[in-house]
């Protein structure tokens, strides 16, 4: 009976009949499509070598599949309509322009983790991005060279920790139309300003006639160089709810160190702002709305004295 079953499986070429790659097995570019099609919940796929652009579409794993790309270089990775993927390591460098796309991105997906990934030379495309996704993370990763180095768009439940961005043409991290986002230990430096935009280390944005961007925490992060620091401007788009910008450092050439406008139940505290040499205006902290402001330090710069906020009372 066993021989009959094996013969039928081989003849029908059914994916379910084939054993998945053994844990610890190495996957090369030639074997990617087969390996990801047969991946089982909780399995680890170990990638090795050079890979073209990769896609994961319409796949759901619980527990998550781990893609260990520590020993791989990959053109780009696109995840769509999927859940349960942890990506670890890898160098991602698009071989062709990807305007309006990121080198590593997840769209309409959940339970996605990007850990220790390195994106290089992604411009004119973006670096790392989540769109219309939930329960996602970026951990201890880096982007060096991109239009916008990273972005979170129409997403909920996102954590960004230990992200380093350099060579950004516009922004370091955009948080647009999103909710329940925590950013900590983000580093922005050495921006490459070739586009006609005001660059921000972090930029918040809400959309008119939509739920305002809300429940955002940005802490223990640093912005250094020709950029604005941490900003949430309002252009009649509804402002923000429950945003906390705390214990960050902005050493910048632009006038905005921290700016948070039209914010309800918000806090700006413990931030340090310094003006770099050559700046036309002193870097400042500007807030309005229902925002608690305390413990911030603005250093003297551009011919103007410094300013300290009152101490915080907890």
């Amino acid at each position: 009976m066993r021989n009959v079953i094996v013969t039928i499986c081989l003849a029908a070429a059914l994916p379910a009949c084939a054993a998945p790659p053994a844990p610890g097995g190495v996957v090369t570019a030639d074997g990617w499509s087969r390996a990801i099609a047969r991946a089982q919940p909780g399995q680890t796929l170990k990638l090795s070598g050079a890979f073209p652009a990769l896609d994961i579409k319409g796949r759901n794993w619980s527990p998550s599949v781990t893609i260990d790309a520590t020993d791989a270089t990959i053109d780009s990775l696109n995840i769509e309509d999927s859940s349960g993927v942890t990506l670890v390591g890898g160098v991602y460098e698009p071989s062709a322009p990807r305007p309006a796309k990121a080198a590593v991105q997840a769209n309409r997906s959940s339970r996605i983790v990007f850990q220790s990934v390195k994106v290089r030379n992604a411009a004119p495309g973006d670096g790392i991005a989540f769109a219309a996704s939930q329960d996602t993370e970026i951990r201890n990763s880096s982007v060096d060279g991109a239009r916008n180095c990273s972005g979170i768009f129409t997403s909920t439940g996102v954590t960004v920790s230990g992200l380093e961005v350099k060579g950004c043409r516009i922004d370091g991290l955009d948080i647009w139309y999103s909710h329940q986002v925590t950013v900590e230990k983000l580093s922005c430096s050495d921006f490459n300003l070739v586009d006609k935009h005001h660059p921000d280390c972090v930029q918040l944005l809400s959309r008119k006639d939509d739920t305002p961007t809300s429940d955002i925490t940005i802490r223990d992060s640093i912005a250094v160089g020709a950029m604005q620091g941490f900003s949430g401007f309002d252009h009649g788009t509804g402002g923000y709810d429950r945003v906390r910008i705390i214990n960050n450092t902005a050493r910048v050439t632009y006038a905005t160190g921290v700016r948070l406008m039209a914010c309800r139940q918000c806090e700006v505290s413990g931030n340090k702002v310094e003006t770099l040499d050559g700046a036309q205006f002193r870097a400042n902290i500007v807030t309005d709305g229902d925002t608690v402001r305390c413990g911030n330090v603005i250093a003297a710069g551009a011919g103007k004295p410094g300013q300290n906020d009152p101490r915080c009372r907890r």
Side-chain angles (χ1 to χ4, degrees), residues 16-258:
C17 296
V26 174
V27 178
T28 61
D30 290 342
W32 162 259
S33 296
R34 182 178 181 180
I36 199 66
R38 298 176 176 179
Q40 301 297 306
Q43 186 178 358
T44 295
L45 302 180
K46 175 72 174 177
L47 308 191
S48 181
F51 289 76
L54 303 180
D55 290 288
I56 300 174
K57 297 183 179 181
R59 299 300 307 277
N60 298 281
W61 291 282
S62 183
S64 296
V65 160
T66 297
I67 299 173
D68 183 351
T70 304
D71 298 325
T73 58
I74 300 171
D75 181 286
S76 55
L77 176 65
N78 176 52
I79 301 174
E80 294 183 6
D81 303 304
S82 298
S83 64
V85 178
T86 297
L87 175 67
V88 179
V91 175
Y92 304 80
E93 187 168 356
S95 58
R98 291 169 56 87
K101 293 184 179 180
V104 178
Q105 64 181 18
N107 300 320
R108 301 179 304 277
S109 296
S110 64
R111 295 189 297 107
I112 308 295
V113 177
F114 297 147
Q115 177 177 325
S116 303
V117 306
K118 298 178 180 179
V119 175
R120 301 290 180 264
N121 302 316
D126 296 338
I128 302 173
F130 294 121
S133 296
Q134 59 184 2
D135 299 329
T136 59
E137 295 184 55
I138 302 172
R139 303 174 185 162
N140 301 323
S141 296
S142 63
V143 178
D144 191 347
R147 184 173 181 269
N148 291 299
C149 278
S150 58
I152 301 165
F153 310 103
T154 58
S155 294
T156 302
V158 184
T159 300
V160 179
S161 60
L163 175 63
E164 180 181 14
V165 297
K166 297 180 178 181
C168 312
R169 293 187 178 186
I170 306 179
D171 295 333
L173 172 63
D174 287 330
I175 305 174
W176 294 8
Y177 334 131
S178 294
H179 313 279
Q180 299 172 22
V181 178
T182 297
V183 178
E184 56 186 2
K185 298 182 180 178
L186 169 70
S187 173
C188 299
S189 65
D190 302 317
F191 278 20
N192 180 23
L193 308 181
V194 299
D195 295 316
K196 294 181 180 180
H197 296 272
H198 281 186
D200 298 89
C201 177
V202 179
Q203 184 189 79
L204 307 180
L205 189 64
S206 293
R207 181 165 48 194
K208 191 174 183 179
D209 300 325
D210 198 359
T211 303
T213 291
S214 65
D215 299 295
I216 311 295
T217 297
I218 304 165
R219 65 188 178 210
D220 302 323
S221 297
I222 184 168
V224 179
M227 67 187 77
Q228 300 180 141
F230 309 91
S231 67
F233 291 87
D234 178 64
H235 304 287
T237 54
Y240 310 93
D241 291 311
R242 297 176 300 280
V243 175
R244 302 172 70 231
I245 302 177
I246 57 177
N247 300 332
N248 303 288
T249 299
R251 298 200 293 268
V252 295
T253 59
Y254 282 67
T256 294
V258 178

